[in-house]
Amino acid sequence: MDTDKDGVGNFIIKAQPPYTNEWTTENIQVFADQNHNTSGISATKSDAPYSADGYETLIFDGAQGTSDDPDLAWVRMVPDENTTIQFAFKRSWAGNVFMVGVLADAGLKDVTKLDYVDRFTEQEAGSPVRDKKYYPLQALYSVDNTCREAFGFAPTGYENMICPKVQPSTPGQPDQPDQPDQPSGCQPPGGSCPTGYYWWPSPHCACSITPYNP
């Protein structure tokens, strides 16, 4: 959870199996990054090798009752076709404006080393892609994560770590985003943005993965 929208996580809600179909706090913990170093120097690129303590402070442990609020966070498993894991947390704690992403970790499981991309070089991490130089996976394995969604505010698309927005295509047509009318003041390099990007006119004058919405 990124509560100040700067691309650097402030809290992480961690759950681990076994999961049940009922809401429970027994297997859930919440950690805080009190010294603001989970994303290294840059929130958008790897700073590896980078030494920091990640989410260093445990503020909630449902099994141990290490919080003044026993209902801060909950987890359950929904046995649908995808076996969904659902989290719940108090809005009074999270606030009304924040960004949130998801991490699945069956490897390191170490919140003090997040973000992993800043702790391991590409050579140390390895790669799951066979034709890549550092194949196979090494130090960083069994991990997947998402970009971040915005809650409580309308994102501009320039927020660090924000998920790109893709406009639905017309039925029968490929997913090729339409370029907005070009106002005067500046034009995209070469006359158009790369496929999948949108032109943001003056004062932005830049190609973005997010559609322009003045």
Side-chain angles (χ1 to χ4, degrees), residues 149-176:
E149 289 286 356
F151 286 85
F153 71 100
T156 65
Y158 285 99
E159 292 84 1
N160 290 329
M161 310 295 288
I162 194 71
C163 290
K165 300 299 180 184
V166 178
Q167 292 181 337
S169 61
T170 303
Q173 298 296 323
D175 289 324
Q176 295 294 335

PDB file of all heavy atoms in Angstrom, residues 149-176:
ATOM      1  N   GLU A 149      -3.057  -0.002  -8.490  1.00  0.00           N
ATOM      2  CA  GLU A 149      -4.317   0.642  -8.808  1.00  0.00           C
ATOM      3  C   GLU A 149      -4.542   1.823  -7.866  1.00  0.00           C
ATOM      4  O   GLU A 149      -4.083   1.814  -6.722  1.00  0.00           O
ATOM      5  CB  GLU A 149      -5.480  -0.342  -8.688  1.00  0.00           C
ATOM      6  CG  GLU A 149      -5.522  -1.391  -9.783  1.00  0.00           C
ATOM      7  CD  GLU A 149      -5.995  -0.831 -11.121  1.00  0.00           C
ATOM      8  OE1 GLU A 149      -6.360   0.364 -11.179  1.00  0.00           O
ATOM      9  OE2 GLU A 149      -5.996  -1.594 -12.097  1.00  0.00           O
ATOM     10  N   ALA A 150      -5.270   2.810  -8.368  1.00  0.00           N
ATOM     11  CA  ALA A 150      -5.563   4.007  -7.592  1.00  0.00           C
ATOM     12  C   ALA A 150      -6.921   3.875  -6.917  1.00  0.00           C
ATOM     13  O   ALA A 150      -7.880   3.422  -7.534  1.00  0.00           O
ATOM     14  CB  ALA A 150      -5.549   5.231  -8.499  1.00  0.00           C
ATOM     15  N   PHE A 151      -6.999   4.280  -5.668  1.00  0.00           N
ATOM     16  CA  PHE A 151      -8.252   4.307  -4.938  1.00  0.00           C
ATOM     17  C   PHE A 151      -8.443   5.685  -4.305  1.00  0.00           C
ATOM     18  O   PHE A 151      -7.534   6.234  -3.688  1.00  0.00           O
ATOM     19  CB  PHE A 151      -8.271   3.239  -3.834  1.00  0.00           C
ATOM     20  CG  PHE A 151      -8.451   1.845  -4.348  1.00  0.00           C
ATOM     21  CD1 PHE A 151      -7.358   1.117  -4.788  1.00  0.00           C
ATOM     22  CD2 PHE A 151      -9.703   1.271  -4.416  1.00  0.00           C
ATOM     23  CE1 PHE A 151      -7.509  -0.176  -5.273  1.00  0.00           C
ATOM     24  CE2 PHE A 151      -9.868  -0.018  -4.906  1.00  0.00           C
ATOM     25  CZ  PHE A 151      -8.771  -0.732  -5.330  1.00  0.00           C
ATOM     26  N   GLY A 152      -9.626   6.241  -4.510  1.00  0.00           N
ATOM     27  CA  GLY A 152      -9.969   7.514  -3.884  1.00  0.00           C
ATOM     28  C   GLY A 152      -9.511   8.733  -4.643  1.00  0.00           C
ATOM     29  O   GLY A 152      -9.686   9.855  -4.179  1.00  0.00           O
ATOM     30  N   PHE A 153      -8.908   8.548  -5.835  1.00  0.00           N
ATOM     31  CA  PHE A 153      -8.486   9.693  -6.633  1.00  0.00           C
ATOM     32  C   PHE A 153      -8.403   9.276  -8.095  1.00  0.00           C
ATOM     33  O   PHE A 153      -8.317   8.086  -8.410  1.00  0.00           O
ATOM     34  CB  PHE A 153      -7.140  10.251  -6.161  1.00  0.00           C
ATOM     35  CG  PHE A 153      -5.956   9.364  -6.462  1.00  0.00           C
ATOM     36  CD1 PHE A 153      -5.121   9.632  -7.553  1.00  0.00           C
ATOM     37  CD2 PHE A 153      -5.657   8.270  -5.659  1.00  0.00           C
ATOM     38  CE1 PHE A 153      -4.027   8.817  -7.832  1.00  0.00           C
ATOM     39  CE2 PHE A 153      -4.565   7.459  -5.927  1.00  0.00           C
ATOM     40  CZ  PHE A 153      -3.751   7.733  -7.018  1.00  0.00           C
ATOM     41  N   ALA A 154      -8.465  10.253  -8.970  1.00  0.00           N
ATOM     42  CA  ALA A 154      -8.357  10.001 -10.406  1.00  0.00           C
ATOM     43  C   ALA A 154      -6.896  10.136 -10.823  1.00  0.00           C
ATOM     44  O   ALA A 154      -6.341  11.238 -10.788  1.00  0.00           O
ATOM     45  CB  ALA A 154      -9.221  10.990 -11.184  1.00  0.00           C
ATOM     46  N   PRO A 155      -6.242   9.049 -11.198  1.00  0.00           N
ATOM     47  CA  PRO A 155      -4.816   9.126 -11.540  1.00  0.00           C
ATOM     48  C   PRO A 155      -4.593   9.862 -12.857  1.00  0.00           C
ATOM     49  O   PRO A 155      -5.422   9.815 -13.761  1.00  0.00           O
ATOM     50  CB  PRO A 155      -4.405   7.660 -11.661  1.00  0.00           C
ATOM     51  CG  PRO A 155      -5.663   6.955 -12.045  1.00  0.00           C
ATOM     52  CD  PRO A 155      -6.767   7.677 -11.337  1.00  0.00           C
ATOM     53  N   THR A 156      -3.462  10.529 -12.957  1.00  0.00           N
ATOM     54  CA  THR A 156      -3.095  11.202 -14.203  1.00  0.00           C
ATOM     55  C   THR A 156      -2.417  10.242 -15.170  1.00  0.00           C
ATOM     56  O   THR A 156      -2.347  10.515 -16.365  1.00  0.00           O
ATOM     57  CB  THR A 156      -2.130  12.363 -13.925  1.00  0.00           C
ATOM     58  OG1 THR A 156      -0.896  11.833 -13.404  1.00  0.00           O
ATOM     59  CG2 THR A 156      -2.714  13.344 -12.908  1.00  0.00           C
ATOM     60  N   GLY A 157      -1.915   9.123 -14.639  1.00  0.00           N
ATOM     61  CA  GLY A 157      -1.137   8.198 -15.442  1.00  0.00           C
ATOM     62  C   GLY A 157       0.360   8.406 -15.275  1.00  0.00           C
ATOM     63  O   GLY A 157       1.151   7.604 -15.747  1.00  0.00           O
ATOM     64  N   TYR A 158       0.745   9.481 -14.602  1.00  0.00           N
ATOM     65  CA  TYR A 158       2.157   9.764 -14.356  1.00  0.00           C
ATOM     66  C   TYR A 158       2.605   9.313 -12.968  1.00  0.00           C
ATOM     67  O   TYR A 158       3.774   9.474 -12.617  1.00  0.00           O
ATOM     68  CB  TYR A 158       2.437  11.260 -14.519  1.00  0.00           C
ATOM     69  CG  TYR A 158       2.455  11.692 -15.973  1.00  0.00           C
ATOM     70  CD1 TYR A 158       1.347  12.294 -16.546  1.00  0.00           C
ATOM     71  CD2 TYR A 158       3.578  11.491 -16.757  1.00  0.00           C
ATOM     72  CE1 TYR A 158       1.354  12.687 -17.880  1.00  0.00           C
ATOM     73  CE2 TYR A 158       3.602  11.883 -18.090  1.00  0.00           C
ATOM     74  CZ  TYR A 158       2.494  12.475 -18.639  1.00  0.00           C
ATOM     75  OH  TYR A 158       2.505  12.858 -19.960  1.00  0.00           O
ATOM     76  N   GLU A 159       1.697   8.776 -12.172  1.00  0.00           N
ATOM     77  CA  GLU A 159       2.078   8.284 -10.860  1.00  0.00           C
ATOM     78  C   GLU A 159       3.035   7.101 -11.001  1.00  0.00           C
ATOM     79  O   GLU A 159       2.836   6.241 -11.853  1.00  0.00           O
ATOM     80  CB  GLU A 159       0.846   7.844 -10.060  1.00  0.00           C
ATOM     81  CG  GLU A 159      -0.086   8.955  -9.649  1.00  0.00           C
ATOM     82  CD  GLU A 159      -1.082   9.344 -10.736  1.00  0.00           C
ATOM     83  OE1 GLU A 159      -1.048   8.713 -11.828  1.00  0.00           O
ATOM     84  OE2 GLU A 159      -1.886  10.252 -10.510  1.00  0.00           O
ATOM     85  N   ASN A 160       4.040   7.052 -10.157  1.00  0.00           N
ATOM     86  CA  ASN A 160       4.985   5.941 -10.184  1.00  0.00           C
ATOM     87  C   ASN A 160       4.273   4.634  -9.853  1.00  0.00           C
ATOM     88  O   ASN A 160       3.511   4.560  -8.888  1.00  0.00           O
ATOM     89  CB  ASN A 160       6.109   6.170  -9.163  1.00  0.00           C
ATOM     90  CG  ASN A 160       7.033   7.287  -9.563  1.00  0.00           C
ATOM     91  OD1 ASN A 160       7.256   7.538 -10.734  1.00  0.00           O
ATOM     92  ND2 ASN A 160       7.588   7.985  -8.581  1.00  0.00           N
ATOM     93  N   MET A 161       4.498   3.616 -10.671  1.00  0.00           N
ATOM     94  CA  MET A 161       3.983   2.265 -10.482  1.00  0.00           C
ATOM     95  C   MET A 161       2.510   2.096 -10.852  1.00  0.00           C
ATOM     96  O   MET A 161       1.937   1.030 -10.683  1.00  0.00           O
ATOM     97  CB  MET A 161       4.190   1.776  -9.033  1.00  0.00           C
ATOM     98  CG  MET A 161       5.597   1.948  -8.506  1.00  0.00           C
ATOM     99  SD  MET A 161       6.805   0.932  -9.385  1.00  0.00           S
ATOM    100  CE  MET A 161       6.375  -0.684  -8.775  1.00  0.00           C
ATOM    101  N   ILE A 162       1.857   3.134 -11.367  1.00  0.00           N
ATOM    102  CA  ILE A 162       0.434   3.053 -11.678  1.00  0.00           C
ATOM    103  C   ILE A 162       0.178   2.076 -12.817  1.00  0.00           C
ATOM    104  O   ILE A 162       0.996   1.932 -13.731  1.00  0.00           O
ATOM    105  CB  ILE A 162      -0.134   4.450 -12.045  1.00  0.00           C
ATOM    106  CG1 ILE A 162      -1.671   4.455 -12.047  1.00  0.00           C
ATOM    107  CG2 ILE A 162       0.411   4.923 -13.371  1.00  0.00           C
ATOM    108  CD1 ILE A 162      -2.296   4.346 -10.706  1.00  0.00           C
ATOM    109  N   CYS A 163      -0.957   1.382 -12.759  1.00  0.00           N
ATOM    110  CA  CYS A 163      -1.317   0.463 -13.837  1.00  0.00           C
ATOM    111  C   CYS A 163      -1.739   1.236 -15.077  1.00  0.00           C
ATOM    112  O   CYS A 163      -2.478   2.218 -14.968  1.00  0.00           O
ATOM    113  CB  CYS A 163      -2.474  -0.433 -13.398  1.00  0.00           C
ATOM    114  SG  CYS A 163      -2.036  -1.656 -12.146  1.00  0.00           S
ATOM    115  N   PRO A 164      -1.302   0.828 -16.256  1.00  0.00           N
ATOM    116  CA  PRO A 164      -1.734   1.491 -17.485  1.00  0.00           C
ATOM    117  C   PRO A 164      -3.192   1.196 -17.764  1.00  0.00           C
ATOM    118  O   PRO A 164      -3.703   0.127 -17.424  1.00  0.00           O
ATOM    119  CB  PRO A 164      -0.826   0.878 -18.562  1.00  0.00           C
ATOM    120  CG  PRO A 164      -0.470  -0.460 -18.016  1.00  0.00           C
ATOM    121  CD  PRO A 164      -0.365  -0.283 -16.526  1.00  0.00           C
ATOM    122  N   LYS A 165      -3.865   2.142 -18.373  1.00  0.00           N
ATOM    123  CA  LYS A 165      -5.265   1.972 -18.723  1.00  0.00           C
ATOM    124  C   LYS A 165      -5.385   1.729 -20.219  1.00  0.00           C
ATOM    125  O   LYS A 165      -4.829   2.481 -21.021  1.00  0.00           O
ATOM    126  CB  LYS A 165      -6.070   3.214 -18.337  1.00  0.00           C
ATOM    127  CG  LYS A 165      -6.024   3.538 -16.845  1.00  0.00           C
ATOM    128  CD  LYS A 165      -6.603   2.400 -16.004  1.00  0.00           C
ATOM    129  CE  LYS A 165      -6.558   2.726 -14.539  1.00  0.00           C
ATOM    130  NZ  LYS A 165      -7.029   1.616 -13.696  1.00  0.00           N
ATOM    131  N   VAL A 166      -6.096   0.683 -20.583  1.00  0.00           N
ATOM    132  CA  VAL A 166      -6.301   0.336 -21.981  1.00  0.00           C
ATOM    133  C   VAL A 166      -7.772   0.497 -22.306  1.00  0.00           C
ATOM    134  O   VAL A 166      -8.634  -0.112 -21.660  1.00  0.00           O
ATOM    135  CB  VAL A 166      -5.858  -1.108 -22.269  1.00  0.00           C
ATOM    136  CG1 VAL A 166      -6.116  -1.465 -23.727  1.00  0.00           C
ATOM    137  CG2 VAL A 166      -4.383  -1.280 -21.936  1.00  0.00           C
ATOM    138  N   GLN A 167      -8.080   1.325 -23.301  1.00  0.00           N
ATOM    139  CA  GLN A 167      -9.457   1.511 -23.708  1.00  0.00           C
ATOM    140  C   GLN A 167      -9.931   0.291 -24.487  1.00  0.00           C
ATOM    141  O   GLN A 167      -9.190  -0.267 -25.296  1.00  0.00           O
ATOM    142  CB  GLN A 167      -9.595   2.762 -24.574  1.00  0.00           C
ATOM    143  CG  GLN A 167      -9.349   4.059 -23.818  1.00  0.00           C
ATOM    144  CD  GLN A 167      -9.519   5.265 -24.707  1.00  0.00           C
ATOM    145  OE1 GLN A 167      -9.398   5.173 -25.920  1.00  0.00           O
ATOM    146  NE2 GLN A 167      -9.805   6.405 -24.101  1.00  0.00           N
ATOM    147  N   PRO A 168     -11.180  -0.156 -24.223  1.00  0.00           N
ATOM    148  CA  PRO A 168     -11.687  -1.317 -24.969  1.00  0.00           C
ATOM    149  C   PRO A 168     -11.791  -1.018 -26.448  1.00  0.00           C
ATOM    150  O   PRO A 168     -12.117   0.093 -26.854  1.00  0.00           O
ATOM    151  CB  PRO A 168     -13.074  -1.554 -24.346  1.00  0.00           C
ATOM    152  CG  PRO A 168     -13.453  -0.227 -23.759  1.00  0.00           C
ATOM    153  CD  PRO A 168     -12.166   0.398 -23.297  1.00  0.00           C
ATOM    154  N   SER A 169     -11.499  -2.014 -27.254  1.00  0.00           N
ATOM    155  CA  SER A 169     -11.540  -1.824 -28.695  1.00  0.00           C
ATOM    156  C   SER A 169     -12.956  -1.989 -29.212  1.00  0.00           C
ATOM    157  O   SER A 169     -13.823  -2.570 -28.565  1.00  0.00           O
ATOM    158  CB  SER A 169     -10.618  -2.836 -29.383  1.00  0.00           C
ATOM    159  OG  SER A 169     -11.060  -4.153 -29.100  1.00  0.00           O
ATOM    160  N   THR A 170     -13.199  -1.480 -30.409  1.00  0.00           N
ATOM    161  CA  THR A 170     -14.478  -1.678 -31.073  1.00  0.00           C
ATOM    162  C   THR A 170     -14.600  -3.141 -31.472  1.00  0.00           C
ATOM    163  O   THR A 170     -13.631  -3.731 -31.944  1.00  0.00           O
ATOM    164  CB  THR A 170     -14.576  -0.790 -32.328  1.00  0.00           C
ATOM    165  OG1 THR A 170     -14.387   0.566 -31.939  1.00  0.00           O
ATOM    166  CG2 THR A 170     -15.929  -0.959 -33.010  1.00  0.00           C
ATOM    167  N   PRO A 171     -15.769  -3.772 -31.250  1.00  0.00           N
ATOM    168  CA  PRO A 171     -15.907  -5.187 -31.623  1.00  0.00           C
ATOM    169  C   PRO A 171     -15.446  -5.449 -33.050  1.00  0.00           C
ATOM    170  O   PRO A 171     -15.823  -4.740 -33.979  1.00  0.00           O
ATOM    171  CB  PRO A 171     -17.417  -5.432 -31.471  1.00  0.00           C
ATOM    172  CG  PRO A 171     -17.849  -4.446 -30.444  1.00  0.00           C
ATOM    173  CD  PRO A 171     -16.998  -3.225 -30.680  1.00  0.00           C
ATOM    174  N   GLY A 172     -14.591  -6.457 -33.197  1.00  0.00           N
ATOM    175  CA  GLY A 172     -14.075  -6.810 -34.515  1.00  0.00           C
ATOM    176  C   GLY A 172     -12.842  -6.032 -34.906  1.00  0.00           C
ATOM    177  O   GLY A 172     -12.266  -6.269 -35.958  1.00  0.00           O
ATOM    178  N   GLN A 173     -12.424  -5.087 -34.062  1.00  0.00           N
ATOM    179  CA  GLN A 173     -11.247  -4.285 -34.366  1.00  0.00           C
ATOM    180  C   GLN A 173     -10.135  -4.627 -33.375  1.00  0.00           C
ATOM    181  O   GLN A 173     -10.394  -4.977 -32.225  1.00  0.00           O
ATOM    182  CB  GLN A 173     -11.579  -2.786 -34.263  1.00  0.00           C
ATOM    183  CG  GLN A 173     -12.638  -2.325 -35.256  1.00  0.00           C
ATOM    184  CD  GLN A 173     -12.162  -2.461 -36.695  1.00  0.00           C
ATOM    185  OE1 GLN A 173     -10.996  -2.222 -36.980  1.00  0.00           O
ATOM    186  NE2 GLN A 173     -13.062  -2.867 -37.574  1.00  0.00           N
ATOM    187  N   PRO A 174      -8.881  -4.528 -33.795  1.00  0.00           N
ATOM    188  CA  PRO A 174      -7.777  -4.816 -32.880  1.00  0.00           C
ATOM    189  C   PRO A 174      -7.661  -3.746 -31.808  1.00  0.00           C
ATOM    190  O   PRO A 174      -8.201  -2.653 -31.946  1.00  0.00           O
ATOM    191  CB  PRO A 174      -6.545  -4.812 -33.813  1.00  0.00           C
ATOM    192  CG  PRO A 174      -6.950  -3.929 -34.951  1.00  0.00           C
ATOM    193  CD  PRO A 174      -8.424  -4.168 -35.144  1.00  0.00           C
ATOM    194  N   ASP A 175      -6.969  -4.093 -30.725  1.00  0.00           N
ATOM    195  CA  ASP A 175      -6.776  -3.147 -29.627  1.00  0.00           C
ATOM    196  C   ASP A 175      -5.711  -2.129 -29.987  1.00  0.00           C
ATOM    197  O   ASP A 175      -4.585  -2.167 -29.492  1.00  0.00           O
ATOM    198  CB  ASP A 175      -6.366  -3.888 -28.353  1.00  0.00           C
ATOM    199  CG  ASP A 175      -7.517  -4.684 -27.777  1.00  0.00           C
ATOM    200  OD1 ASP A 175      -8.655  -4.207 -27.861  1.00  0.00           O
ATOM    201  OD2 ASP A 175      -7.265  -5.780 -27.243  1.00  0.00           O
ATOM    202  N   GLN A 176      -6.054  -1.207 -30.856  1.00  0.00           N
ATOM    203  CA  GLN A 176      -5.160  -0.123 -31.242  1.00  0.00           C
ATOM    204  C   GLN A 176      -5.762   1.170 -30.722  1.00  0.00           C
ATOM    205  O   GLN A 176      -6.806   1.609 -31.186  1.00  0.00           O
ATOM    206  CB  GLN A 176      -5.023  -0.046 -32.769  1.00  0.00           C
ATOM    207  CG  GLN A 176      -4.349  -1.264 -33.374  1.00  0.00           C
ATOM    208  CD  GLN A 176      -2.905  -1.380 -32.965  1.00  0.00           C
ATOM    209  OE1 GLN A 176      -2.271  -0.390 -32.629  1.00  0.00           O
ATOM    210  NE2 GLN A 176      -2.361  -2.580 -32.987  1.00  0.00           N
TER     211      GLN A 176
END
